Amino acid sequence: MDYSTYVVLVVLVFFVVVAVALAGPKGAGNPHWHSASATWYGSPNGDGSDGGACGYGTMVDVKPYKARVGAVSSALFKSGEGCGACYKVKCLDKSICSKRAVTVIVTDESPALTKGLVHFDLSGSAFGRMAVSGRSTNLRNRGKISVIYRKTPCKYPGQNIAFHVNAGSTAYWLSLLVEFEDGDGDIGSMHIRQARSNQWLKMTHLWGANWCIIGGPLQGPFSIKLTTLSKRVTLSARDVIPSKWTPKATYTSRLNFLK
């Protein structure tokens, strides 16, 4: 290799390194982060709205959901199967945005404000936490901003997966809401096993984080098997719902995905 060729190669390598560095976390330079837009709703320092399209109801008002709830566009909502998933979100304008990301739990659906772009609608509190100290109000005053996001494992310290029996459930129509799922957070499929049976029956996705089975009469206690949507990880909770279950009751298992 002659000297001129060597110089050209060194210059090319230099510009490649600079290009990657300037790309930062916007996508091409860092595949773990993706571009999106974000807005906020509710009161400026509020925790977000009640309920939502996932069906968590008043749970969004209390910890561990409190102030971490968020609505996402259809690309992440995934017809409700994306409910419960967790994301890191941070803004990009260095003049007002801090380097820290906020963690958001999907509890609702929001329309995409820009076609083909993922959108987050955050609580006023979560939106403001992306700003540098003392500039939360200024950031909220911007309304819609550009952000980057990535999926992150959900963590509910001290909590195990729980199953809420929805109102209206009977021995012939049983509907369950899944709560506090560590790890992926989302649900790709759900199966139920009756007492004295070795057969797992596939449940049907109703809406949000709600699943059901029709048949019967169904005999408890019931074991529940969850498979996550993102990584297809499976967990089985044996006899988690007792034989004398009641509608509107919540039954907590003894395990979670990250334990």
Side-chain angles (χ1 to χ4, degrees), residues 171-229:
Y172 295 87
W173 184 86
L174 178 62
S175 174
L176 304 176
L177 171 73
V178 185
E179 304 170 353
F180 309 126
E181 182 191 342
D182 276 349
D184 288 347
D186 50 26
I187 303 169
S189 66
M190 191 163 161
H191 292 75
I192 188 169
R193 189 176 66 194
Q194 300 183 71
R196 298 179 297 279
S197 174
N198 293 321
Q199 182 182 10
W200 287 102
L201 304 175
K202 187 174 183 179
M203 300 186 74
T204 300
H205 180 227
L206 282 177
W207 60 278
N210 296 278
W211 296 70
C212 82
I213 186 167
I214 301 173
L218 300 169
Q219 301 290 329
F222 301 111
S223 299
I224 306 295
K225 180 167 66 175
L226 299 177
T227 301
T228 67
L229 181 66

Short mmCIF file of all heavy atoms in Angstrom, two decimals, residues 171-229:
data_model
loop_
_atom_site.label_atom_id
_atom_site.label_comp_id
_atom_site.label_asym_id
_atom_site.label_seq_id
_atom_site.Cartn_x
_atom_site.Cartn_y
_atom_site.Cartn_z
N ALA A 171 -69.37 -19.31 35.59
CA ALA A 171 -68.77 -20.63 35.35
C ALA A 171 -68.76 -20.98 33.87
O ALA A 171 -68.15 -21.98 33.47
CB ALA A 171 -69.52 -21.70 36.13
N TYR A 172 -69.43 -20.16 33.05
CA TYR A 172 -69.48 -20.41 31.61
C TYR A 172 -68.76 -19.34 30.78
O TYR A 172 -68.55 -19.51 29.58
CB TYR A 172 -70.94 -20.50 31.15
CG TYR A 172 -71.67 -21.68 31.75
CD1 TYR A 172 -72.31 -21.56 32.98
CD2 TYR A 172 -71.70 -22.92 31.10
CE1 TYR A 172 -72.96 -22.64 33.55
CE2 TYR A 172 -72.35 -24.00 31.66
CZ TYR A 172 -72.98 -23.86 32.88
OH TYR A 172 -73.63 -24.93 33.44
N TRP A 173 -68.40 -18.24 31.42
CA TRP A 173 -67.67 -17.15 30.75
C TRP A 173 -66.77 -16.51 31.79
O TRP A 173 -67.24 -15.79 32.67
CB TRP A 173 -68.63 -16.12 30.17
CG TRP A 173 -67.96 -15.02 29.38
CD1 TRP A 173 -67.60 -15.04 28.07
CD2 TRP A 173 -67.57 -13.73 29.89
NE1 TRP A 173 -67.01 -13.84 27.72
CE2 TRP A 173 -66.98 -13.01 28.81
CE3 TRP A 173 -67.65 -13.10 31.13
CZ2 TRP A 173 -66.49 -11.71 28.94
CZ3 TRP A 173 -67.17 -11.80 31.27
CH2 TRP A 173 -66.59 -11.12 30.19
N LEU A 174 -65.48 -16.80 31.70
CA LEU A 174 -64.52 -16.32 32.69
C LEU A 174 -63.57 -15.34 32.02
O LEU A 174 -62.89 -15.67 31.04
CB LEU A 174 -63.74 -17.49 33.28
CG LEU A 174 -62.66 -17.15 34.31
CD1 LEU A 174 -63.27 -16.48 35.54
CD2 LEU A 174 -61.90 -18.42 34.72
N SER A 175 -63.51 -14.12 32.54
CA SER A 175 -62.66 -13.07 31.99
C SER A 175 -61.64 -12.60 33.02
O SER A 175 -62.00 -12.33 34.18
CB SER A 175 -63.52 -11.88 31.53
OG SER A 175 -62.71 -10.81 31.11
N LEU A 176 -60.37 -12.51 32.61
CA LEU A 176 -59.28 -12.16 33.52
C LEU A 176 -58.49 -10.97 33.00
O LEU A 176 -58.26 -10.83 31.79
CB LEU A 176 -58.33 -13.35 33.70
CG LEU A 176 -58.93 -14.66 34.19
CD1 LEU A 176 -57.85 -15.74 34.21
CD2 LEU A 176 -59.55 -14.49 35.57
N LEU A 177 -58.05 -10.14 33.94
CA LEU A 177 -57.13 -9.02 33.66
C LEU A 177 -55.81 -9.34 34.32
O LEU A 177 -55.76 -9.67 35.52
CB LEU A 177 -57.70 -7.72 34.21
CG LEU A 177 -56.77 -6.50 34.20
CD1 LEU A 177 -56.60 -5.97 32.78
CD2 LEU A 177 -57.33 -5.38 35.10
N VAL A 178 -54.72 -9.25 33.57
CA VAL A 178 -53.39 -9.58 34.10
C VAL A 178 -52.72 -8.32 34.63
O VAL A 178 -52.71 -7.28 33.97
CB VAL A 178 -52.51 -10.22 33.01
CG1 VAL A 178 -51.17 -10.67 33.60
CG2 VAL A 178 -53.23 -11.40 32.38
N GLU A 179 -52.12 -8.43 35.82
CA GLU A 179 -51.49 -7.27 36.47
C GLU A 179 -50.07 -7.59 36.92
O GLU A 179 -49.75 -8.73 37.24
CB GLU A 179 -52.31 -6.85 37.70
CG GLU A 179 -53.77 -6.54 37.40
CD GLU A 179 -54.60 -6.37 38.67
OE1 GLU A 179 -54.05 -6.63 39.77
OE2 GLU A 179 -55.77 -5.98 38.56
N PHE A 180 -49.21 -6.56 36.94
CA PHE A 180 -47.87 -6.59 37.53
C PHE A 180 -46.95 -7.63 36.88
O PHE A 180 -46.27 -8.39 37.57
CB PHE A 180 -47.93 -6.84 39.04
CG PHE A 180 -48.86 -5.91 39.76
CD1 PHE A 180 -49.86 -6.41 40.58
CD2 PHE A 180 -48.77 -4.54 39.61
CE1 PHE A 180 -50.74 -5.56 41.25
CE2 PHE A 180 -49.64 -3.68 40.28
CZ PHE A 180 -50.62 -4.19 41.10
N GLU A 181 -46.91 -7.65 35.57
CA GLU A 181 -46.07 -8.62 34.86
C GLU A 181 -44.68 -8.06 34.63
O GLU A 181 -44.48 -7.13 33.85
CB GLU A 181 -46.72 -8.97 33.51
CG GLU A 181 -45.95 -10.01 32.71
CD GLU A 181 -46.49 -10.12 31.30
OE1 GLU A 181 -47.63 -9.69 31.05
OE2 GLU A 181 -45.76 -10.64 30.44
N ASP A 182 -43.69 -8.61 35.32
CA ASP A 182 -42.29 -8.21 35.14
C ASP A 182 -41.80 -8.59 33.74
O ASP A 182 -42.41 -9.40 33.03
CB ASP A 182 -41.40 -8.94 36.16
CG ASP A 182 -41.35 -8.23 37.50
OD1 ASP A 182 -41.82 -7.09 37.60
OD2 ASP A 182 -40.85 -8.84 38.48
N GLY A 183 -40.65 -8.02 33.38
CA GLY A 183 -40.01 -8.41 32.12
C GLY A 183 -40.65 -7.76 30.92
O GLY A 183 -40.79 -6.54 30.84
N ASP A 184 -41.11 -8.57 29.97
CA ASP A 184 -41.69 -8.05 28.73
C ASP A 184 -42.92 -7.18 28.99
O ASP A 184 -43.18 -6.21 28.28
CB ASP A 184 -42.09 -9.20 27.80
CG ASP A 184 -40.89 -9.89 27.19
OD1 ASP A 184 -39.77 -9.35 27.29
OD2 ASP A 184 -41.06 -10.98 26.60
N GLY A 185 -43.72 -7.56 29.98
CA GLY A 185 -44.91 -6.78 30.32
C GLY A 185 -46.10 -7.06 29.44
O GLY A 185 -47.24 -6.95 29.89
N ASP A 186 -45.87 -7.42 28.18
CA ASP A 186 -46.97 -7.67 27.26
C ASP A 186 -47.37 -9.15 27.26
O ASP A 186 -46.68 -9.99 27.82
CB ASP A 186 -46.59 -7.23 25.84
CG ASP A 186 -45.23 -7.78 25.40
OD1 ASP A 186 -44.81 -8.84 25.91
OD2 ASP A 186 -44.59 -7.16 24.54
N ILE A 187 -48.49 -9.46 26.63
CA ILE A 187 -49.01 -10.84 26.61
C ILE A 187 -49.32 -11.24 25.18
O ILE A 187 -50.09 -10.57 24.49
CB ILE A 187 -50.28 -10.98 27.46
CG1 ILE A 187 -50.02 -10.52 28.90
CG2 ILE A 187 -50.79 -12.41 27.45
CD1 ILE A 187 -51.28 -10.40 29.72
N GLY A 188 -48.74 -12.35 24.74
CA GLY A 188 -49.00 -12.85 23.39
C GLY A 188 -50.05 -13.94 23.36
O GLY A 188 -50.80 -14.07 22.39
N SER A 189 -50.12 -14.74 24.42
CA SER A 189 -51.15 -15.78 24.52
C SER A 189 -51.35 -16.14 25.98
O SER A 189 -50.49 -15.90 26.82
CB SER A 189 -50.78 -17.03 23.71
OG SER A 189 -49.64 -17.66 24.26
N MET A 190 -52.51 -16.74 26.24
CA MET A 190 -52.87 -17.08 27.62
C MET A 190 -53.70 -18.37 27.60
O MET A 190 -54.59 -18.54 26.75
CB MET A 190 -53.67 -15.92 28.22
CG MET A 190 -53.90 -15.98 29.71
SD MET A 190 -54.40 -14.32 30.28
CE MET A 190 -55.15 -14.73 31.84
N HIS A 191 -53.37 -19.29 28.50
CA HIS A 191 -54.07 -20.56 28.58
C HIS A 191 -54.54 -20.80 30.02
O HIS A 191 -53.94 -20.29 30.97
CB HIS A 191 -53.17 -21.73 28.14
CG HIS A 191 -52.82 -21.71 26.68
ND1 HIS A 191 -51.90 -20.82 26.16
CD2 HIS A 191 -53.27 -22.47 25.64
CE1 HIS A 191 -51.79 -21.04 24.84
NE2 HIS A 191 -52.62 -22.02 24.52
N ILE A 192 -55.58 -21.61 30.16
CA ILE A 192 -56.12 -21.92 31.48
C ILE A 192 -56.30 -23.43 31.60
O ILE A 192 -56.61 -24.11 30.61
CB ILE A 192 -57.47 -21.19 31.70
CG1 ILE A 192 -57.95 -21.34 33.14
CG2 ILE A 192 -58.53 -21.67 30.71
CD1 ILE A 192 -59.12 -20.42 33.47
N ARG A 193 -56.07 -23.95 32.81
CA ARG A 193 -56.23 -25.39 33.07
C ARG A 193 -57.17 -25.55 34.26
O ARG A 193 -56.97 -24.94 35.31
CB ARG A 193 -54.89 -26.05 33.35
CG ARG A 193 -54.97 -27.58 33.43
CD ARG A 193 -53.58 -28.17 33.61
NE ARG A 193 -53.01 -27.81 34.90
CZ ARG A 193 -51.72 -27.96 35.23
NH1 ARG A 193 -50.87 -28.45 34.35
NH2 ARG A 193 -51.29 -27.62 36.44
N GLN A 194 -58.17 -26.39 34.09
CA GLN A 194 -59.15 -26.61 35.14
C GLN A 194 -58.65 -27.64 36.17
O GLN A 194 -57.62 -28.29 35.97
CB GLN A 194 -60.46 -27.11 34.54
CG GLN A 194 -61.10 -26.15 33.55
CD GLN A 194 -62.42 -26.66 33.05
OE1 GLN A 194 -63.41 -26.68 33.79
NE2 GLN A 194 -62.46 -27.09 31.79
N ALA A 195 -59.41 -27.77 37.23
CA ALA A 195 -59.08 -28.75 38.27
C ALA A 195 -59.12 -30.16 37.69
O ALA A 195 -59.95 -30.47 36.83
CB ALA A 195 -60.07 -28.62 39.42
N ARG A 196 -58.19 -30.99 38.16
CA ARG A 196 -58.13 -32.40 37.77
C ARG A 196 -58.05 -32.60 36.25
O ARG A 196 -58.63 -33.53 35.68
CB ARG A 196 -59.34 -33.16 38.34
CG ARG A 196 -59.39 -33.16 39.86
CD ARG A 196 -60.61 -33.89 40.39
NE ARG A 196 -61.86 -33.24 39.96
CZ ARG A 196 -62.38 -32.17 40.56
NH1 ARG A 196 -61.77 -31.64 41.61
NH2 ARG A 196 -63.51 -31.65 40.12
N SER A 197 -57.35 -31.70 35.57
CA SER A 197 -57.18 -31.80 34.13
C SER A 197 -55.72 -31.53 33.75
O SER A 197 -55.04 -30.75 34.42
CB SER A 197 -58.08 -30.79 33.41
OG SER A 197 -57.81 -30.78 32.01
N ASN A 198 -55.27 -32.19 32.70
CA ASN A 198 -53.93 -31.95 32.18
C ASN A 198 -53.95 -31.10 30.90
O ASN A 198 -52.91 -30.83 30.31
CB ASN A 198 -53.23 -33.29 31.86
CG ASN A 198 -52.95 -34.09 33.11
OD1 ASN A 198 -52.58 -33.54 34.15
ND2 ASN A 198 -53.13 -35.41 33.04
N GLN A 199 -55.15 -30.69 30.51
CA GLN A 199 -55.30 -29.98 29.25
C GLN A 199 -55.31 -28.46 29.46
O GLN A 199 -56.07 -27.92 30.25
CB GLN A 199 -56.61 -30.40 28.56
CG GLN A 199 -56.83 -29.72 27.21
CD GLN A 199 -58.17 -30.12 26.58
OE1 GLN A 199 -59.01 -30.75 27.23
NE2 GLN A 199 -58.35 -29.78 25.32
N TRP A 200 -54.43 -27.80 28.69
CA TRP A 200 -54.41 -26.34 28.70
C TRP A 200 -55.36 -25.83 27.63
O TRP A 200 -55.23 -26.17 26.45
CB TRP A 200 -53.01 -25.81 28.44
CG TRP A 200 -52.06 -25.98 29.59
CD1 TRP A 200 -51.09 -26.92 29.72
CD2 TRP A 200 -51.98 -25.17 30.76
NE1 TRP A 200 -50.42 -26.77 30.90
CE2 TRP A 200 -50.95 -25.70 31.56
CE3 TRP A 200 -52.69 -24.06 31.22
CZ2 TRP A 200 -50.60 -25.14 32.79
CZ3 TRP A 200 -52.35 -23.50 32.45
CH2 TRP A 200 -51.31 -24.04 33.21
N LEU A 201 -56.34 -25.01 28.02
CA LEU A 201 -57.31 -24.45 27.08
C LEU A 201 -56.91 -23.02 26.72
O LEU A 201 -56.61 -22.20 27.59
CB LEU A 201 -58.70 -24.44 27.72
CG LEU A 201 -59.22 -25.79 28.21
CD1 LEU A 201 -60.56 -25.61 28.94
CD2 LEU A 201 -59.37 -26.77 27.04
N LYS A 202 -56.90 -22.73 25.42
CA LYS A 202 -56.48 -21.41 24.96
C LYS A 202 -57.56 -20.38 25.27
O LYS A 202 -58.74 -20.58 24.98
CB LYS A 202 -56.20 -21.43 23.46
CG LYS A 202 -55.61 -20.12 22.94
CD LYS A 202 -55.22 -20.23 21.48
CE LYS A 202 -54.57 -18.95 21.00
NZ LYS A 202 -54.15 -19.04 19.56
N MET A 203 -57.14 -19.25 25.84
CA MET A 203 -58.06 -18.16 26.12
C MET A 203 -58.07 -17.19 24.94
O MET A 203 -57.13 -17.12 24.15
CB MET A 203 -57.67 -17.44 27.42
CG MET A 203 -57.67 -18.35 28.64
SD MET A 203 -57.38 -17.47 30.21
CE MET A 203 -58.96 -16.64 30.44
N THR A 204 -59.14 -16.43 24.83
CA THR A 204 -59.32 -15.47 23.74
C THR A 204 -59.02 -14.06 24.23
O THR A 204 -59.46 -13.66 25.32
CB THR A 204 -60.77 -15.53 23.21
OG1 THR A 204 -61.04 -16.85 22.73
CG2 THR A 204 -60.97 -14.53 22.08
N HIS A 205 -58.26 -13.31 23.41
CA HIS A 205 -57.98 -11.92 23.76
C HIS A 205 -59.22 -11.08 23.50
O HIS A 205 -59.74 -11.03 22.39
CB HIS A 205 -56.80 -11.40 22.92
CG HIS A 205 -56.45 -9.98 23.22
ND1 HIS A 205 -56.23 -9.04 22.24
CD2 HIS A 205 -56.30 -9.33 24.40
CE1 HIS A 205 -55.95 -7.88 22.79
NE2 HIS A 205 -55.99 -8.03 24.11
N LEU A 206 -59.73 -10.44 24.56
CA LEU A 206 -60.92 -9.61 24.44
C LEU A 206 -60.57 -8.19 23.99
O LEU A 206 -60.88 -7.76 22.88
CB LEU A 206 -61.66 -9.55 25.78
CG LEU A 206 -62.53 -10.73 26.18
CD1 LEU A 206 -63.11 -10.50 27.57
CD2 LEU A 206 -63.65 -10.94 25.17
N TRP A 207 -59.91 -7.47 24.87
CA TRP A 207 -59.47 -6.10 24.59
C TRP A 207 -58.46 -5.72 25.66
O TRP A 207 -58.45 -6.26 26.76
CB TRP A 207 -60.65 -5.12 24.60
CG TRP A 207 -61.39 -5.06 25.91
CD1 TRP A 207 -62.35 -5.91 26.35
CD2 TRP A 207 -61.20 -4.10 26.97
NE1 TRP A 207 -62.79 -5.55 27.60
CE2 TRP A 207 -62.11 -4.43 28.00
CE3 TRP A 207 -60.38 -2.99 27.13
CZ2 TRP A 207 -62.20 -3.71 29.18
CZ3 TRP A 207 -60.46 -2.25 28.30
CH2 TRP A 207 -61.37 -2.61 29.32
N GLY A 208 -57.57 -4.79 25.35
CA GLY A 208 -56.58 -4.36 26.33
C GLY A 208 -55.82 -5.53 26.92
O GLY A 208 -55.32 -6.40 26.20
N ALA A 209 -55.75 -5.58 28.24
CA ALA A 209 -55.06 -6.67 28.94
C ALA A 209 -56.05 -7.72 29.44
O ALA A 209 -55.75 -8.46 30.38
CB ALA A 209 -54.26 -6.11 30.11
N ASN A 210 -57.21 -7.79 28.82
CA ASN A 210 -58.29 -8.70 29.25
C ASN A 210 -58.40 -9.91 28.32
O ASN A 210 -58.43 -9.76 27.10
CB ASN A 210 -59.62 -7.95 29.28
CG ASN A 210 -59.63 -6.84 30.30
OD1 ASN A 210 -59.85 -7.06 31.48
ND2 ASN A 210 -59.37 -5.62 29.84
N TRP A 211 -58.51 -11.09 28.93
CA TRP A 211 -58.63 -12.35 28.20
C TRP A 211 -59.81 -13.14 28.76
O TRP A 211 -60.20 -12.94 29.92
CB TRP A 211 -57.34 -13.16 28.33
CG TRP A 211 -56.15 -12.49 27.70
CD1 TRP A 211 -55.52 -11.36 28.14
CD2 TRP A 211 -55.48 -12.88 26.51
NE1 TRP A 211 -54.49 -11.04 27.29
CE2 TRP A 211 -54.44 -11.96 26.28
CE3 TRP A 211 -55.64 -13.94 25.61
CZ2 TRP A 211 -53.58 -12.06 25.19
CZ3 TRP A 211 -54.77 -14.04 24.53
CH2 TRP A 211 -53.77 -13.10 24.32
N CYS A 212 -60.38 -14.03 27.96
CA CYS A 212 -61.53 -14.79 28.46
C CYS A 212 -61.56 -16.20 27.89
O CYS A 212 -60.86 -16.52 26.92
CB CYS A 212 -62.84 -14.08 28.12
SG CYS A 212 -63.42 -14.38 26.44
N ILE A 213 -62.38 -17.03 28.50
CA ILE A 213 -62.66 -18.37 27.98
C ILE A 213 -64.16 -18.63 28.11
O ILE A 213 -64.79 -18.22 29.10
CB ILE A 213 -61.85 -19.45 28.71
CG1 ILE A 213 -62.08 -20.81 28.02
CG2 ILE A 213 -62.18 -19.51 30.19
CD1 ILE A 213 -61.10 -21.87 28.46
N ILE A 214 -64.73 -19.26 27.08
CA ILE A 214 -66.15 -19.59 27.07
C ILE A 214 -66.29 -21.11 27.07
O ILE A 214 -65.64 -21.81 26.30
CB ILE A 214 -66.84 -19.00 25.84
CG1 ILE A 214 -66.68 -17.47 25.81
CG2 ILE A 214 -68.33 -19.37 25.81
CD1 ILE A 214 -67.19 -16.83 24.55
N GLY A 215 -67.13 -21.63 27.93
CA GLY A 215 -67.30 -23.08 28.02
C GLY A 215 -67.97 -23.42 29.33
O GLY A 215 -68.51 -22.56 30.01
N GLY A 216 -67.87 -24.68 29.68
CA GLY A 216 -68.30 -24.95 31.02
C GLY A 216 -69.39 -26.01 31.20
O GLY A 216 -69.80 -26.64 30.25
N PRO A 217 -69.71 -26.17 32.48
CA PRO A 217 -69.26 -25.29 33.57
C PRO A 217 -67.76 -25.48 33.87
O PRO A 217 -67.27 -26.61 33.90
CB PRO A 217 -70.11 -25.70 34.76
CG PRO A 217 -70.47 -27.13 34.48
CD PRO A 217 -70.60 -27.23 32.98
N LEU A 218 -67.06 -24.36 34.04
CA LEU A 218 -65.63 -24.39 34.32
C LEU A 218 -65.41 -24.74 35.80
O LEU A 218 -66.06 -24.19 36.68
CB LEU A 218 -65.02 -23.02 34.00
CG LEU A 218 -65.17 -22.56 32.54
CD1 LEU A 218 -64.78 -21.10 32.40
CD2 LEU A 218 -64.31 -23.44 31.62
N GLN A 219 -64.44 -25.62 36.03
CA GLN A 219 -64.19 -26.12 37.38
C GLN A 219 -62.84 -25.63 37.91
O GLN A 219 -61.79 -25.92 37.34
CB GLN A 219 -64.21 -27.66 37.37
CG GLN A 219 -65.51 -28.29 36.87
CD GLN A 219 -66.65 -28.09 37.85
OE1 GLN A 219 -66.46 -28.03 39.05
NE2 GLN A 219 -67.88 -28.01 37.32
N GLY A 220 -62.88 -24.84 39.01
CA GLY A 220 -61.65 -24.42 39.66
C GLY A 220 -61.19 -25.43 40.69
O GLY A 220 -61.92 -26.38 40.99
N PRO A 221 -59.98 -25.26 41.22
CA PRO A 221 -59.09 -24.12 40.99
C PRO A 221 -58.48 -24.11 39.59
O PRO A 221 -58.33 -25.17 38.97
CB PRO A 221 -58.03 -24.30 42.08
CG PRO A 221 -57.99 -25.77 42.32
CD PRO A 221 -59.41 -26.23 42.18
N PHE A 222 -58.11 -22.90 39.13
CA PHE A 222 -57.57 -22.74 37.80
C PHE A 222 -56.08 -22.42 37.83
O PHE A 222 -55.62 -21.61 38.64
CB PHE A 222 -58.29 -21.60 37.06
CG PHE A 222 -59.77 -21.82 36.92
CD1 PHE A 222 -60.67 -21.02 37.63
CD2 PHE A 222 -60.27 -22.80 36.09
CE1 PHE A 222 -62.04 -21.21 37.50
CE2 PHE A 222 -61.64 -23.00 35.95
CZ PHE A 222 -62.52 -22.20 36.67
N SER A 223 -55.34 -23.06 36.94
CA SER A 223 -53.94 -22.70 36.69
C SER A 223 -53.90 -21.85 35.43
O SER A 223 -54.69 -22.07 34.50
CB SER A 223 -53.08 -23.95 36.50
OG SER A 223 -53.10 -24.76 37.66
N ILE A 224 -53.01 -20.87 35.39
CA ILE A 224 -52.92 -19.95 34.26
C ILE A 224 -51.50 -19.99 33.68
O ILE A 224 -50.51 -19.94 34.42
CB ILE A 224 -53.25 -18.50 34.68
CG1 ILE A 224 -54.61 -18.44 35.37
CG2 ILE A 224 -53.21 -17.58 33.46
CD1 ILE A 224 -55.78 -18.80 34.49
N LYS A 225 -51.43 -20.06 32.35
CA LYS A 225 -50.13 -20.03 31.66
C LYS A 225 -50.07 -18.81 30.75
O LYS A 225 -50.94 -18.61 29.91
CB LYS A 225 -49.92 -21.31 30.84
CG LYS A 225 -48.59 -21.36 30.09
CD LYS A 225 -48.29 -22.76 29.56
CE LYS A 225 -49.26 -23.19 28.50
NZ LYS A 225 -48.90 -24.49 27.90
N LEU A 226 -49.06 -17.99 30.96
CA LEU A 226 -48.86 -16.78 30.16
C LEU A 226 -47.66 -16.95 29.23
O LEU A 226 -46.64 -17.51 29.63
CB LEU A 226 -48.59 -15.57 31.06
CG LEU A 226 -49.67 -15.14 32.06
CD1 LEU A 226 -49.15 -13.98 32.89
CD2 LEU A 226 -50.94 -14.77 31.33
N THR A 227 -47.77 -16.44 28.02
CA THR A 227 -46.64 -16.36 27.10
C THR A 227 -46.52 -14.92 26.63
O THR A 227 -47.51 -14.34 26.15
CB THR A 227 -46.83 -17.29 25.88
OG1 THR A 227 -46.98 -18.63 26.34
CG2 THR A 227 -45.64 -17.21 24.94
N THR A 228 -45.35 -14.33 26.81
CA THR A 228 -45.19 -12.92 26.45
C THR A 228 -45.19 -12.73 24.94
O THR A 228 -44.86 -13.65 24.18
CB THR A 228 -43.89 -12.34 27.04
OG1 THR A 228 -42.75 -12.97 26.42
CG2 THR A 228 -43.83 -12.56 28.54
N LEU A 229 -45.55 -11.54 24.51
CA LEU A 229 -45.61 -11.23 23.09
C LEU A 229 -44.22 -10.98 22.51
O LEU A 229 -43.92 -11.44 21.41
CB LEU A 229 -46.50 -9.99 22.87
CG LEU A 229 -46.68 -9.53 21.43
CD1 LEU A 229 -47.46 -10.57 20.63
CD2 LEU A 229 -47.40 -8.19 21.40
#
